[in-house]
Amino acid sequence: QQQVKQSPQSLIVQKGGISIINCAYENTAFDYFPWYQQFPGKGPALLIAIRPDVSEKKEGRFTISFNKSAKQFSLHIMDSQPGDSATYFCAAKRQAGTALIFGKGTTLSVSS
Amino acid sequence: GAVVSQHPSRVICKSGTSVKIECRSLDFQATTMFWYRQFPKQSLMLMATSNEGSKATYEQGVEKDKFLINHASLTLSTLTVTSAHPEDSSFYICSARILRALDPYEQYFGPGTRLTVT
């Protein structure tokens, strides 16, 4: 059972455009929703995270939108740059001591 | 910032041999460490969760006798792949949760270890 569903699988965006990646979760006990960026051959790095008590969080060019009733959250990358080309994973966890459950990932390519 | 290191970064071993991967938290004590496996162009799949001084908890389908995890201290966890086979070839990534963290939910990931079994 896939607990976190991520779409699209791949995404091509022009430089300066907005990249949008979506995730949906099933377990209502989840209470922490981070997004990670991973470059080939490297470990994932935390980009931004949100708790269910807020509907939006912005850090620089990265914004998470969270819809608790729909059990969905999304990552928006504004002014996308070629350096943003990477694989992005959404994740969720239900308690601080438990492991993150990852979505399948989205490969983003930003064309110059 | 919190840094997690892994050693080695890549290793090639022959089928049937064992290989040990180390995961260290360099500037913090890790109450919990997690081991993930990632196949090419796929997501991170949790293998096991380990707490210092206690036995690891393995995910369903992960052979605990094949993937031995030792969490001997608050800064070191090791994963030993025993009797490795080519299908064990993968990218192994550890992550750690900081003891007494400002954000107890946050996990810090290591750079990964590329294992190739020939």
Side-chain angles (χ1 to χ4, degrees), chain B residues 2 4 6 19 22 33 35 37 42 47-49 51 57 62 71 73 75 79-80 84 87-88 92-94 109 111:
Chain B
V4 177
Q6 285 184 239
V19 62
E22 291 186 350
M33 286 188 173
W35 286 94
R37 179 167 54 182
Q42 293 191 23
M47 299 177 66
T49 300
N51 293 290
T57 301
V62 177
H71 194 160
S73 75
T75 59
L79 167 68
T80 301
E87 57 264 32
D88 297 325
Y92 291 86
I93 308 172
C94 71
F109 284 81

PDB file of all heavy atoms in Angstrom, chain B residues 2 4 6 19 22 33 35 37 42 47-49 51 57 62 71 73 75 79-80 84 87-88 92-94 109 111:
ATOM      1  N   ALA B   2      23.591  20.004  11.080  1.00  0.00           N
ATOM      2  CA  ALA B   2      23.746  18.602  11.373  1.00  0.00           C
ATOM      3  C   ALA B   2      24.310  17.860  10.163  1.00  0.00           C
ATOM      4  O   ALA B   2      23.751  17.960   9.077  1.00  0.00           O
ATOM      5  CB  ALA B   2      22.391  18.016  11.763  1.00  0.00           C
ATOM      6  N   VAL B   4      25.659  14.196   8.589  1.00  0.00           N
ATOM      7  CA  VAL B   4      25.712  12.737   8.667  1.00  0.00           C
ATOM      8  C   VAL B   4      26.662  12.246   7.582  1.00  0.00           C
ATOM      9  O   VAL B   4      26.526  12.641   6.418  1.00  0.00           O
ATOM     10  CB  VAL B   4      24.310  12.123   8.466  1.00  0.00           C
ATOM     11  CG1 VAL B   4      24.384  10.588   8.476  1.00  0.00           C
ATOM     12  CG2 VAL B   4      23.351  12.612   9.554  1.00  0.00           C
ATOM     13  N   GLN B   6      28.739   8.899   5.675  1.00  0.00           N
ATOM     14  CA  GLN B   6      28.711   7.462   5.416  1.00  0.00           C
ATOM     15  C   GLN B   6      30.048   7.036   4.844  1.00  0.00           C
ATOM     16  O   GLN B   6      30.679   7.758   4.079  1.00  0.00           O
ATOM     17  CB  GLN B   6      27.587   7.099   4.427  1.00  0.00           C
ATOM     18  CG  GLN B   6      26.208   7.126   5.036  1.00  0.00           C
ATOM     19  CD  GLN B   6      25.128   6.669   4.078  1.00  0.00           C
ATOM     20  OE1 GLN B   6      24.199   7.409   3.780  1.00  0.00           O
ATOM     21  NE2 GLN B   6      25.247   5.433   3.585  1.00  0.00           N
ATOM     22  N   VAL B  19      29.808  -6.994   3.413  1.00  0.00           N
ATOM     23  CA  VAL B  19      30.313  -5.630   3.366  1.00  0.00           C
ATOM     24  C   VAL B  19      29.634  -4.808   4.452  1.00  0.00           C
ATOM     25  O   VAL B  19      28.438  -4.960   4.707  1.00  0.00           O
ATOM     26  CB  VAL B  19      30.085  -5.010   1.960  1.00  0.00           C
ATOM     27  CG1 VAL B  19      28.612  -4.942   1.632  1.00  0.00           C
ATOM     28  CG2 VAL B  19      30.720  -3.637   1.874  1.00  0.00           C
ATOM     29  N   GLU B  22      29.208   2.198   7.254  1.00  0.00           N
ATOM     30  CA  GLU B  22      29.125   2.978   8.477  1.00  0.00           C
ATOM     31  C   GLU B  22      28.336   4.266   8.264  1.00  0.00           C
ATOM     32  O   GLU B  22      28.461   4.909   7.224  1.00  0.00           O
ATOM     33  CB  GLU B  22      30.526   3.341   8.982  1.00  0.00           C
ATOM     34  CG  GLU B  22      31.330   2.175   9.492  1.00  0.00           C
ATOM     35  CD  GLU B  22      32.645   2.627  10.108  1.00  0.00           C
ATOM     36  OE1 GLU B  22      32.993   3.822   9.955  1.00  0.00           O
ATOM     37  OE2 GLU B  22      33.327   1.794  10.712  1.00  0.00           O
ATOM     38  N   MET B  33      18.431   6.144  14.222  1.00  0.00           N
ATOM     39  CA  MET B  33      18.981   6.142  12.863  1.00  0.00           C
ATOM     40  C   MET B  33      18.125   5.239  11.988  1.00  0.00           C
ATOM     41  O   MET B  33      17.591   4.228  12.461  1.00  0.00           O
ATOM     42  CB  MET B  33      20.432   5.687  12.853  1.00  0.00           C
ATOM     43  CG  MET B  33      21.379   6.735  13.388  1.00  0.00           C
ATOM     44  SD  MET B  33      23.108   6.262  13.160  1.00  0.00           S
ATOM     45  CE  MET B  33      23.952   7.737  13.687  1.00  0.00           C
ATOM     46  N   TRP B  35      17.772   3.325   8.094  1.00  0.00           N
ATOM     47  CA  TRP B  35      18.473   2.863   6.896  1.00  0.00           C
ATOM     48  C   TRP B  35      17.471   2.694   5.761  1.00  0.00           C
ATOM     49  O   TRP B  35      16.422   2.055   5.910  1.00  0.00           O
ATOM     50  CB  TRP B  35      19.173   1.533   7.161  1.00  0.00           C
ATOM     51  CG  TRP B  35      20.408   1.689   8.002  1.00  0.00           C
ATOM     52  CD1 TRP B  35      20.519   1.567   9.344  1.00  0.00           C
ATOM     53  CD2 TRP B  35      21.721   2.031   7.532  1.00  0.00           C
ATOM     54  NE1 TRP B  35      21.810   1.803   9.748  1.00  0.00           N
ATOM     55  CE2 TRP B  35      22.575   2.080   8.654  1.00  0.00           C
ATOM     56  CE3 TRP B  35      22.267   2.283   6.269  1.00  0.00           C
ATOM     57  CZ2 TRP B  35      23.926   2.383   8.552  1.00  0.00           C
ATOM     58  CZ3 TRP B  35      23.610   2.582   6.172  1.00  0.00           C
ATOM     59  CH2 TRP B  35      24.424   2.634   7.312  1.00  0.00           C
ATOM     60  N   ARG B  37      17.065   2.044   1.353  1.00  0.00           N
ATOM     61  CA  ARG B  37      17.690   1.516   0.139  1.00  0.00           C
ATOM     62  C   ARG B  37      16.989   2.175  -1.052  1.00  0.00           C
ATOM     63  O   ARG B  37      15.755   2.353  -1.036  1.00  0.00           O
ATOM     64  CB  ARG B  37      17.524  -0.006   0.089  1.00  0.00           C
ATOM     65  CG  ARG B  37      18.112  -0.670  -1.131  1.00  0.00           C
ATOM     66  CD  ARG B  37      18.184  -2.178  -0.964  1.00  0.00           C
ATOM     67  NE  ARG B  37      16.899  -2.766  -0.599  1.00  0.00           N
ATOM     68  CZ  ARG B  37      16.735  -4.074  -0.370  1.00  0.00           C
ATOM     69  NH1 ARG B  37      17.754  -4.899  -0.456  1.00  0.00           N
ATOM     70  NH2 ARG B  37      15.550  -4.540  -0.036  1.00  0.00           N
ATOM     71  N   GLN B  42      14.356   5.129  -8.494  1.00  0.00           N
ATOM     72  CA  GLN B  42      13.237   4.785  -7.629  1.00  0.00           C
ATOM     73  C   GLN B  42      13.311   5.577  -6.325  1.00  0.00           C
ATOM     74  O   GLN B  42      14.257   6.334  -6.095  1.00  0.00           O
ATOM     75  CB  GLN B  42      13.230   3.277  -7.346  1.00  0.00           C
ATOM     76  CG  GLN B  42      12.924   2.435  -8.572  1.00  0.00           C
ATOM     77  CD  GLN B  42      12.664   0.992  -8.235  1.00  0.00           C
ATOM     78  OE1 GLN B  42      12.291   0.651  -7.106  1.00  0.00           O
ATOM     79  NE2 GLN B  42      12.850   0.122  -9.211  1.00  0.00           N
ATOM     80  N   MET B  47      14.381   0.387   5.242  1.00  0.00           N
ATOM     81  CA  MET B  47      14.774  -0.986   5.550  1.00  0.00           C
ATOM     82  C   MET B  47      14.584  -1.279   7.036  1.00  0.00           C
ATOM     83  O   MET B  47      14.046  -2.312   7.422  1.00  0.00           O
ATOM     84  CB  MET B  47      16.236  -1.226   5.186  1.00  0.00           C
ATOM     85  CG  MET B  47      16.566  -1.049   3.726  1.00  0.00           C
ATOM     86  SD  MET B  47      18.322  -1.266   3.420  1.00  0.00           S
ATOM     87  CE  MET B  47      18.527  -2.997   3.808  1.00  0.00           C
ATOM     88  N   ALA B  48      15.074  -0.352   7.876  1.00  0.00           N
ATOM     89  CA  ALA B  48      15.045  -0.618   9.305  1.00  0.00           C
ATOM     90  C   ALA B  48      15.238   0.673  10.079  1.00  0.00           C
ATOM     91  O   ALA B  48      15.770   1.659   9.569  1.00  0.00           O
ATOM     92  CB  ALA B  48      16.131  -1.614   9.677  1.00  0.00           C
ATOM     93  N   THR B  49      14.792   0.612  11.316  1.00  0.00           N
ATOM     94  CA  THR B  49      14.951   1.720  12.263  1.00  0.00           C
ATOM     95  C   THR B  49      15.762   1.198  13.438  1.00  0.00           C
ATOM     96  O   THR B  49      15.472   0.110  13.960  1.00  0.00           O
ATOM     97  CB  THR B  49      13.577   2.181  12.763  1.00  0.00           C
ATOM     98  OG1 THR B  49      12.802   2.624  11.650  1.00  0.00           O
ATOM     99  CG2 THR B  49      13.720   3.312  13.768  1.00  0.00           C
ATOM    100  N   ASN B  51      17.613   2.160  17.240  1.00  0.00           N
ATOM    101  CA  ASN B  51      17.844   3.037  18.380  1.00  0.00           C
ATOM    102  C   ASN B  51      19.069   2.558  19.121  1.00  0.00           C
ATOM    103  O   ASN B  51      19.310   1.346  19.232  1.00  0.00           O
ATOM    104  CB  ASN B  51      16.629   3.045  19.308  1.00  0.00           C
ATOM    105  CG  ASN B  51      15.428   3.690  18.660  1.00  0.00           C
ATOM    106  OD1 ASN B  51      15.389   4.891  18.441  1.00  0.00           O
ATOM    107  ND2 ASN B  51      14.427   2.896  18.327  1.00  0.00           N
ATOM    108  N   THR B  57      14.566  -2.448  14.304  1.00  0.00           N
ATOM    109  CA  THR B  57      13.243  -2.884  13.863  1.00  0.00           C
ATOM    110  C   THR B  57      13.242  -2.880  12.341  1.00  0.00           C
ATOM    111  O   THR B  57      13.462  -1.836  11.725  1.00  0.00           O
ATOM    112  CB  THR B  57      12.154  -1.930  14.378  1.00  0.00           C
ATOM    113  OG1 THR B  57      12.203  -1.890  15.800  1.00  0.00           O
ATOM    114  CG2 THR B  57      10.781  -2.415  13.924  1.00  0.00           C
ATOM    115  N   VAL B  62      12.251  -7.261   4.696  1.00  0.00           N
ATOM    116  CA  VAL B  62      13.694  -7.065   4.825  1.00  0.00           C
ATOM    117  C   VAL B  62      14.247  -8.154   5.731  1.00  0.00           C
ATOM    118  O   VAL B  62      13.816  -8.294   6.875  1.00  0.00           O
ATOM    119  CB  VAL B  62      14.021  -5.671   5.389  1.00  0.00           C
ATOM    120  CG1 VAL B  62      15.530  -5.521   5.574  1.00  0.00           C
ATOM    121  CG2 VAL B  62      13.471  -4.584   4.482  1.00  0.00           C
ATOM    122  N   HIS B  71      23.745  -0.498  16.252  1.00  0.00           N
ATOM    123  CA  HIS B  71      23.724   0.917  16.641  1.00  0.00           C
ATOM    124  C   HIS B  71      24.398   0.999  18.009  1.00  0.00           C
ATOM    125  O   HIS B  71      23.737   1.113  19.031  1.00  0.00           O
ATOM    126  CB  HIS B  71      22.271   1.392  16.683  1.00  0.00           C
ATOM    127  CG  HIS B  71      22.125   2.878  16.750  1.00  0.00           C
ATOM    128  ND1 HIS B  71      20.952   3.512  16.403  1.00  0.00           N
ATOM    129  CD2 HIS B  71      22.973   3.853  17.110  1.00  0.00           C
ATOM    130  CE1 HIS B  71      21.094   4.806  16.562  1.00  0.00           C
ATOM    131  NE2 HIS B  71      22.307   5.045  16.988  1.00  0.00           N
ATOM    132  N   SER B  73      26.503   3.188  19.383  1.00  0.00           N
ATOM    133  CA  SER B  73      26.652   4.438  20.118  1.00  0.00           C
ATOM    134  C   SER B  73      25.700   5.474  19.546  1.00  0.00           C
ATOM    135  O   SER B  73      25.039   5.233  18.541  1.00  0.00           O
ATOM    136  CB  SER B  73      28.088   4.940  20.027  1.00  0.00           C
ATOM    137  OG  SER B  73      28.337   5.499  18.751  1.00  0.00           O
ATOM    138  N   THR B  75      26.418   8.013  18.002  1.00  0.00           N
ATOM    139  CA  THR B  75      26.959   8.657  16.808  1.00  0.00           C
ATOM    140  C   THR B  75      27.306   7.681  15.691  1.00  0.00           C
ATOM    141  O   THR B  75      27.775   8.090  14.638  1.00  0.00           O
ATOM    142  CB  THR B  75      28.226   9.476  17.143  1.00  0.00           C
ATOM    143  OG1 THR B  75      29.207   8.595  17.700  1.00  0.00           O
ATOM    144  CG2 THR B  75      27.920  10.587  18.127  1.00  0.00           C
ATOM    145  N   LEU B  79      25.576  -0.930   8.963  1.00  0.00           N
ATOM    146  CA  LEU B  79      24.760  -1.888   8.220  1.00  0.00           C
ATOM    147  C   LEU B  79      25.709  -2.862   7.554  1.00  0.00           C
ATOM    148  O   LEU B  79      26.594  -2.446   6.800  1.00  0.00           O
ATOM    149  CB  LEU B  79      23.923  -1.165   7.167  1.00  0.00           C
ATOM    150  CG  LEU B  79      23.237  -2.035   6.101  1.00  0.00           C
ATOM    151  CD1 LEU B  79      22.153  -2.886   6.730  1.00  0.00           C
ATOM    152  CD2 LEU B  79      22.650  -1.168   4.982  1.00  0.00           C
ATOM    153  N   THR B  80      25.564  -4.129   7.859  1.00  0.00           N
ATOM    154  CA  THR B  80      26.379  -5.153   7.221  1.00  0.00           C
ATOM    155  C   THR B  80      25.504  -5.999   6.313  1.00  0.00           C
ATOM    156  O   THR B  80      24.520  -6.586   6.773  1.00  0.00           O
ATOM    157  CB  THR B  80      27.066  -6.065   8.266  1.00  0.00           C
ATOM    158  OG1 THR B  80      27.891  -5.262   9.133  1.00  0.00           O
ATOM    159  CG2 THR B  80      27.946  -7.104   7.580  1.00  0.00           C
ATOM    160  N   ALA B  84      26.472 -11.183   0.214  1.00  0.00           N
ATOM    161  CA  ALA B  84      25.877 -10.274  -0.780  1.00  0.00           C
ATOM    162  C   ALA B  84      25.673 -10.974  -2.129  1.00  0.00           C
ATOM    163  O   ALA B  84      26.455 -11.823  -2.543  1.00  0.00           O
ATOM    164  CB  ALA B  84      26.757  -9.052  -0.944  1.00  0.00           C
ATOM    165  N   GLU B  87      21.691  -8.862  -6.685  1.00  0.00           N
ATOM    166  CA  GLU B  87      20.426  -8.137  -6.480  1.00  0.00           C
ATOM    167  C   GLU B  87      20.454  -7.208  -5.271  1.00  0.00           C
ATOM    168  O   GLU B  87      19.538  -6.398  -5.084  1.00  0.00           O
ATOM    169  CB  GLU B  87      19.253  -9.107  -6.350  1.00  0.00           C
ATOM    170  CG  GLU B  87      19.400 -10.137  -5.247  1.00  0.00           C
ATOM    171  CD  GLU B  87      19.952 -11.455  -5.759  1.00  0.00           C
ATOM    172  OE1 GLU B  87      20.760 -11.449  -6.717  1.00  0.00           O
ATOM    173  OE2 GLU B  87      19.568 -12.503  -5.187  1.00  0.00           O
ATOM    174  N   ASP B  88      21.512  -7.319  -4.447  1.00  0.00           N
ATOM    175  CA  ASP B  88      21.679  -6.395  -3.321  1.00  0.00           C
ATOM    176  C   ASP B  88      22.342  -5.093  -3.767  1.00  0.00           C
ATOM    177  O   ASP B  88      22.447  -4.145  -2.963  1.00  0.00           O
ATOM    178  CB  ASP B  88      22.528  -7.035  -2.221  1.00  0.00           C
ATOM    179  CG  ASP B  88      21.870  -8.271  -1.632  1.00  0.00           C
ATOM    180  OD1 ASP B  88      20.622  -8.286  -1.533  1.00  0.00           O
ATOM    181  OD2 ASP B  88      22.603  -9.233  -1.292  1.00  0.00           O
ATOM    182  N   TYR B  92      22.567   2.744  -0.652  1.00  0.00           N
ATOM    183  CA  TYR B  92      22.107   2.636   0.726  1.00  0.00           C
ATOM    184  C   TYR B  92      22.322   3.981   1.418  1.00  0.00           C
ATOM    185  O   TYR B  92      23.421   4.535   1.404  1.00  0.00           O
ATOM    186  CB  TYR B  92      22.861   1.518   1.457  1.00  0.00           C
ATOM    187  CG  TYR B  92      22.497   0.142   0.945  1.00  0.00           C
ATOM    188  CD1 TYR B  92      23.159  -0.396  -0.159  1.00  0.00           C
ATOM    189  CD2 TYR B  92      21.474  -0.593   1.529  1.00  0.00           C
ATOM    190  CE1 TYR B  92      22.814  -1.643  -0.663  1.00  0.00           C
ATOM    191  CE2 TYR B  92      21.119  -1.843   1.031  1.00  0.00           C
ATOM    192  CZ  TYR B  92      21.792  -2.356  -0.060  1.00  0.00           C
ATOM    193  OH  TYR B  92      21.435  -3.593  -0.551  1.00  0.00           O
ATOM    194  N   ILE B  93      21.274   4.481   2.020  1.00  0.00           N
ATOM    195  CA  ILE B  93      21.308   5.814   2.632  1.00  0.00           C
ATOM    196  C   ILE B  93      20.846   5.715   4.080  1.00  0.00           C
ATOM    197  O   ILE B  93      19.826   5.088   4.367  1.00  0.00           O
ATOM    198  CB  ILE B  93      20.377   6.798   1.890  1.00  0.00           C
ATOM    199  CG1 ILE B  93      20.671   6.792   0.384  1.00  0.00           C
ATOM    200  CG2 ILE B  93      20.531   8.213   2.448  1.00  0.00           C
ATOM    201  CD1 ILE B  93      19.652   7.588  -0.422  1.00  0.00           C
ATOM    202  N   CYS B  94      21.614   6.341   4.963  1.00  0.00           N
ATOM    203  CA  CYS B  94      21.177   6.378   6.352  1.00  0.00           C
ATOM    204  C   CYS B  94      20.691   7.783   6.680  1.00  0.00           C
ATOM    205  O   CYS B  94      21.023   8.755   6.000  1.00  0.00           O
ATOM    206  CB  CYS B  94      22.298   5.972   7.301  1.00  0.00           C
ATOM    207  SG  CYS B  94      23.618   7.174   7.442  1.00  0.00           S
ATOM    208  N   PHE B 109      20.034  13.315   6.398  1.00  0.00           N
ATOM    209  CA  PHE B 109      20.457  12.189   5.575  1.00  0.00           C
ATOM    210  C   PHE B 109      21.943  12.214   5.281  1.00  0.00           C
ATOM    211  O   PHE B 109      22.542  13.278   5.116  1.00  0.00           O
ATOM    212  CB  PHE B 109      19.685  12.182   4.252  1.00  0.00           C
ATOM    213  CG  PHE B 109      18.277  11.683   4.405  1.00  0.00           C
ATOM    214  CD1 PHE B 109      17.269  12.520   4.860  1.00  0.00           C
ATOM    215  CD2 PHE B 109      17.963  10.356   4.124  1.00  0.00           C
ATOM    216  CE1 PHE B 109      15.973  12.057   5.026  1.00  0.00           C
ATOM    217  CE2 PHE B 109      16.670   9.880   4.286  1.00  0.00           C
ATOM    218  CZ  PHE B 109      15.672  10.731   4.745  1.00  0.00           C
ATOM    219  N   PRO B 111      25.189  10.950   2.720  1.00  0.00           N
ATOM    220  CA  PRO B 111      25.392  11.081   1.272  1.00  0.00           C
ATOM    221  C   PRO B 111      25.161   9.792   0.506  1.00  0.00           C
ATOM    222  O   PRO B 111      25.160   9.797  -0.723  1.00  0.00           O
ATOM    223  CB  PRO B 111      26.843  11.535   1.163  1.00  0.00           C
ATOM    224  CG  PRO B 111      27.487  10.960   2.379  1.00  0.00           C
ATOM    225  CD  PRO B 111      26.454  10.985   3.450  1.00  0.00           C
TER     226      PRO B 111
END
